[in-house]
Amino acid sequence: MKSLCFSPRTASLSISRQSNSPSLSSTARRRFSQSAIEQAIDAAAAIIMKWDAETSAYAGVTSLFHESKREAMQFTKSVNELQDIMHLLVSDQDSGSEKFSQAQRLMQIAMKRLQKEFYQILSTNRADLDPESVSTRSSRTSTSMSDYDDDGLPDDEIRTAGDSITELEDVSSTAMSDLKLIADCMIASGYAKECIRVYKIIRKSIIDEGIYKLGIEKLSSSQVNKMDWDVLDLKIKNWLDAEKISLRTLFKGERILCDHVFSSSDSIKESCFAEISNEGATLLFGFPELVAKAKKSPMEKMFRVLDMYTAISEDWQEIETIFAFESVSAVRLQAINSLVKLSESVLSLLADFECTIHKDSSKAMTPGSGLHRLTMYSMDYLTLLADYGNILTDIISDWPPPAKSSLPESFFDSPVSDDSPRPAISVRIAWLILVLLCKLDCKSKHYKDVSLSYLFLANNLQHVISRVRASNLMYILGEEWITKHEAKVRQFAANYERLAWGQVFASLPENPMASMTSGKAKECFMKFTSSFEDAYSKQCSCVVPDLKLRDEIKASIGTKVVAVYREFYDMHKSTVGEESSEKLFVRFSPEDVGNYLSELFFATVSSGSSSTSSSTSSHRHRYMRSLLRA
């Protein structure tokens, strides 16, 4: 094996190949006699001069590696033998001889030819050597140099050696092997610089073009800040696609190609890959940092920030593998910086979201004690956040827990307490919901009718629970949290029922089947009619959006009103007196009462006013209003 590389341009020696034996010169001497040296130089001259573009018109328009793989192998073999001869002549202190000068001239011609071939292969095979093609075939075994054995198959059989892979992979594999063969020869002959220069120019243009086509452009912080959200959002979506494509094809393919072509020198393949990819990769991973610093509203920005954080963190192993060289550490550093800035942005946006809840100062009462816009907005936000549970867990893990001093002590009967340590994300999400519930409690006090305050709280807390159950929030908060808050909904509903319908309950005798005088019966019927009309007139515009809660409230009221009233009605209707007297005192049948109650809580809120959900409901409400006017 060769141990020295002679550079004919400078007539100096440089170490280029490692040797397992220090006795190369003696081995070469045994192999080459003077006549053998002359024969070897003549043989090398024959093939090298054949492909000298300055003396052969044929060589000027024809590609050696495309025309004949066998001649290409003979050409590089002759160059390697010529290099051995030059080493031998130098070791024999015969570097001033005519033979050495001739070998030197031949070497220069050969290197010029190989440089041209290297350029042509890179240029004409741009499509076959695009990073996607290279990365696709990376799992295949690349064509070995033994495929070009001059004692082996004819050219046409060589070209069909890749029958086991696709035609595209075959062309890509052949081009890669040709490039490696030339690179090995030029590096061993002391012409690494010329080879590297050609490679860097062409391959960097491919990477830069790929980055450009993926829509990655150089932007400043001020440019990003000035963008409308729709424009920036589009750029972020584009970046998310570009990041995946560039890692899996563009940079991965280039790293594979670089490693293969320059496998004979770790320092060269590192240098080449660094110069080719550094600029484009740094630009790619710099964009998320700019977005993280941009001043945009929490709802708009949060989920795109989380998407970018997810993309980089999920691909981190790929990033470390592709950009493992120390010379591309700037790429890894930029990716890390972007992750840090994105995580800081997430924490800041969570704090902004909490602040938004605290600062909501609207005093307008929600019609029908229905869902407040703050409840719907907040739960939309939190359910979307829950889809990023794993990422948020990483980001929030070291974030200090929230301070309880800002909320009333009475609210801390939830899992936010320190009694049983919970994951940081569970604590943070539970805290944000707690902040929301405190704010809703304050807003409930704007209702003059206390019963409507409790219905408002029941509706909004039920909506919170429903959204938790139907999303990943359920796994973050846990069943215990849900159970505790469902108990609160039942408590709010019971308070509403007691305050809104208590007079109706009290108007009926404790024992509806007990005998009583006609006068007493008339008094009870009148008292019930008055209290029911009053309660219904106040509650008919109320809403309970949740079907389960609506049915539970109506069932509870119906059990305490309709069932008792039916017993009283059946027992004492006949004691009221004549038919005219009956119509005067008995305004509702049990069926009427049941029908009116069944239509409760269906009103839908539209543009700040209440409207009923069906024509039947409207008819019954009109009928009730007519009774009230009677």
Side-chain angles (χ1 to χ4, degrees):
M1 183 175 290
K2 300 174 180 64
S3 61
L4 293 176
C5 170
F6 181 78
S7 177
R9 295 165 296 162
T10 58
S12 61
L13 292 175
S14 61
I15 302 297
S16 70
R17 305 189 198 180
Q18 292 183 351
S19 173
N20 295 324
S21 170
S23 59
L24 175 64
S25 296
S26 60
T27 302
R29 285 192 186 90
R30 287 194 299 271
R31 190 168 58 182
F32 293 110
S33 63
Q34 289 297 318
S35 60
I37 289 175
E38 291 176 0
Q39 290 175 6
I41 292 176
D42 290 342
I47 191 167
I48 290 173
M49 295 309 296
K50 176 182 177 180
W51 291 98
D52 181 8
E54 293 183 4
T55 61
S56 169
Y58 173 78
V61 297
T62 308
S63 167
L64 166 61
F65 278 77
H66 179 74
E67 184 67 18
S68 171
K69 287 295 191 292
R70 174 176 290 151
E71 281 203 33
M73 281 299 299
Q74 290 174 347
F75 190 97
T76 54
K77 183 178 181 181
S78 294
V79 170
N80 289 331
E81 289 181 351
L82 194 62
Q83 182 75 358
D84 283 337
I85 291 171
M86 294 173 72
H87 278 298
L88 182 60
L89 293 174
V90 168
S91 65
D92 287 343
Q93 298 182 350
D94 198 13
S95 59
S97 67
E98 180 60 29
K99 293 191 294 291
F100 184 84
S101 298
Q102 183 184 3
Q104 188 178 38
R105 288 193 300 272
L106 289 172
M107 181 64 74
Q108 290 171 338
I109 294 170
M111 290 299 106
K112 189 174 181 180
R113 181 73 218 187
L114 288 179
Q115 184 176 349
K116 179 180 179 180
E117 291 289 327
F118 196 74
Y119 176 84
Q120 285 181 331
I121 294 170
L122 285 172
S123 300
T124 58
N125 290 279
R126 282 177 70 100
D128 302 316
L129 291 174
D130 70 287
E132 184 173 2
S133 299
V134 174
S135 60
T136 298
R137 66 165 295 281
S138 62
S139 60
R140 309 281 188 177
T141 303
S142 61
T143 305
S144 65
M145 289 181 63
S146 61
D147 292 336
Y148 299 135
D149 190 347
D150 57 347
D151 295 326
L153 299 172
D155 292 343
D156 58 340
E157 294 187 27
I158 292 175
R159 282 194 291 271
T160 60
D163 288 342
S164 62
I165 58 176
T166 66
E167 181 180 353
L168 179 62
E169 289 174 329
D170 191 25
V171 174
S172 173
S173 177
T174 300
M176 288 175 68
S177 294
D178 289 346
L179 290 171
K180 172 176 168 52
L181 184 63
I182 296 172
D184 287 346
C185 186
M186 292 185 72
I187 291 170
S189 300
Y191 282 78
K193 187 179 294 185
E194 287 78 1
C195 179
I196 293 168
R197 183 172 65 249
V198 171
Y199 186 89
K200 286 179 178 179
I201 291 172
I202 294 179
R203 296 309 299 178
K204 188 175 188 305
S205 69
I206 292 175
I207 292 294
D208 292 345
E209 181 181 334
I211 288 291
Y212 176 78
K213 286 182 176 179
L214 288 171
I216 304 301
E217 56 185 318
K218 190 171 185 178
L219 296 169
S220 65
S221 293
S222 61
Q223 286 176 307
V224 173
N225 270 321
K226 290 176 182 177
M227 284 181 187
D228 291 335
W229 172 251
D230 289 342
V231 175
L232 182 56
D233 187 45
L234 190 60
K235 288 187 178 295
I236 294 172
K237 289 178 182 178
N238 179 75
W239 182 89
L240 291 168
D241 291 334
E243 189 267 350
K244 299 295 182 188
I245 295 171
S246 61
L247 276 183
R248 285 155 178 72
T249 59
L250 200 64
F251 294 113
K252 180 180 179 181
E254 190 55 50
R255 174 65 191 271
I256 292 168
L257 182 62
C258 225
D259 286 354
H260 181 82
V261 173
F262 299 110
S263 59
S264 63
S265 172
D266 290 342
S267 61
I268 289 177
K269 67 184 179 184
E270 177 176 348
S271 169
C272 282
F273 181 72
E275 187 162 332
I276 289 166
S277 63
N278 233 328
E279 184 178 344
T282 303
L283 189 64
L284 175 72
F285 291 113
F287 178 71
E289 182 175 355
L290 297 177
V291 175
K293 295 177 180 178
K295 305 299 181 183
K296 303 294 177 183
S297 71
M299 194 64 175
E300 292 173 330
K301 184 180 174 184
M302 171 65 90
F303 303 104
R304 290 304 180 202
V305 168
L306 286 169
D307 286 337
M308 289 190 289
Y309 187 99
T310 301
I312 297 176
S313 59
E314 287 183 347
D315 291 333
W316 182 250
Q317 185 173 357
E318 190 88 359
I319 294 170
E320 283 195 312
T321 300
I322 294 173
F323 301 99
F325 295 135
E326 184 60 30
S327 54
V328 286
S329 61
V331 175
R332 300 195 304 274
L333 181 61
Q334 179 59 71
I336 291 173
N337 285 341
S338 286
L339 279 177
V340 171
K341 294 301 180 182
L342 289 169
S343 65
E344 290 175 355
S345 179
V346 169
L347 298 181
S348 176
L349 291 170
L350 283 175
D352 288 345
F353 172 65
E354 181 180 338
C355 189
T356 298
I357 299 175
H358 277 300
K359 289 183 177 180
D360 189 288
S361 57
S362 62
K363 296 182 179 180
M365 294 178 290
T366 305
S369 296
L371 299 180
H372 198 280
R373 59 165 186 79
L374 182 62
T375 306
M376 293 185 285
Y377 161 81
S378 299
M379 292 314 298
D380 285 345
Y381 193 81
L382 291 174
T383 52
L384 288 173
L385 277 181
D387 292 337
Y388 297 87
N390 293 334
I391 293 298
L392 281 174
T393 297
D394 292 338
I395 295 173
I396 296 177
S397 59
D398 296 326
W399 201 16
K404 298 179 180 179
S405 58
S406 59
L407 297 180
E409 188 66 30
S410 60
F411 279 87
F412 291 100
D413 58 345
S414 68
V416 145
S417 64
D418 295 328
D419 298 337
S420 56
R422 295 169 61 84
I425 186 174
S426 300
V427 173
R428 183 61 57 174
I429 296 296
W431 170 262
L432 291 173
I433 294 179
L434 187 59
V435 171
L436 170 64
L437 297 180
C438 287
K439 179 58 68 171
L440 292 173
D441 185 68
C442 294
K443 292 182 181 300
S444 71
K445 294 177 173 58
H446 296 147
Y447 289 95
K448 294 180 180 179
D449 187 334
V450 179
S451 68
L452 298 182
S453 297
Y454 281 114
L455 185 61
F456 171 80
L457 291 173
N459 276 330
N460 283 270
L461 181 53
Q462 182 61 39
H463 179 74
V464 170
I465 294 170
S466 297
R467 296 302 302 274
V468 169
R469 278 203 178 278
S471 68
N472 286 327
L473 287 170
M474 180 175 65
Y475 306 108
I476 293 174
L477 296 173
E479 194 62 38
E480 181 186 356
W481 185 97
I482 293 174
T483 301
K484 286 185 177 182
H485 285 80
E486 284 179 335
K488 288 184 178 181
V489 171
R490 291 192 294 271
Q491 181 183 339
F492 290 145
N495 287 341
Y496 159 75
E497 181 184 308
R498 175 176 54 81
L499 292 171
W501 298 92
Q503 292 299 317
V504 179
F505 303 154
S507 69
L508 294 169
E510 291 185 11
N511 185 1
M513 302 298 290
S515 61
M516 62 179 66
T517 64
S518 175
K520 183 66 173 175
K522 290 178 182 179
E523 181 183 347
C524 281
F525 275 115
M526 290 179 64
K527 188 176 180 182
F528 172 80
T529 299
S530 175
S531 61
F532 184 76
E533 289 175 345
D534 182 58
Y536 190 87
S537 66
K538 292 178 180 178
Q539 307 305 318
C540 65
S541 62
C542 289
V543 296
V544 180
D546 185 83
L547 175 61
K548 181 174 179 289
L549 179 60
R550 184 195 310 151
D551 289 345
E552 287 177 353
I553 294 177
K554 288 198 296 185
S556 179
I557 296 173
T559 300
K560 295 171 184 173
V561 174
V562 178
V564 178
Y565 181 66
R566 184 182 299 280
E567 290 181 350
F568 177 73
Y569 179 89
D570 291 342
M571 182 71 182
H572 298 288
K573 177 188 175 186
S574 60
T575 65
V576 173
E578 300 176 355
E579 184 177 346
S580 59
S581 179
E582 180 183 322
K583 290 181 179 180
L584 179 63
F585 294 103
V586 184
R587 306 279 285 274
F588 302 110
S589 69
E591 287 72 24
D592 290 333
V593 174
N595 288 335
Y596 284 123
L597 290 178
S598 69
E599 293 300 324
L600 281 174
F601 312 127
F602 280 104
T604 56
V605 178
S606 176
S607 302
S609 62
S610 298
S611 62
T612 56
S613 62
S614 68
S615 59
T616 303
S617 175
S618 298
H619 172 73
R620 285 178 178 160
H621 289 168
R622 286 196 297 271
Y623 176 64
M624 172 60 82
R625 286 194 292 271
S626 69
L627 290 176
L628 294 176
R629 289 195 297 269

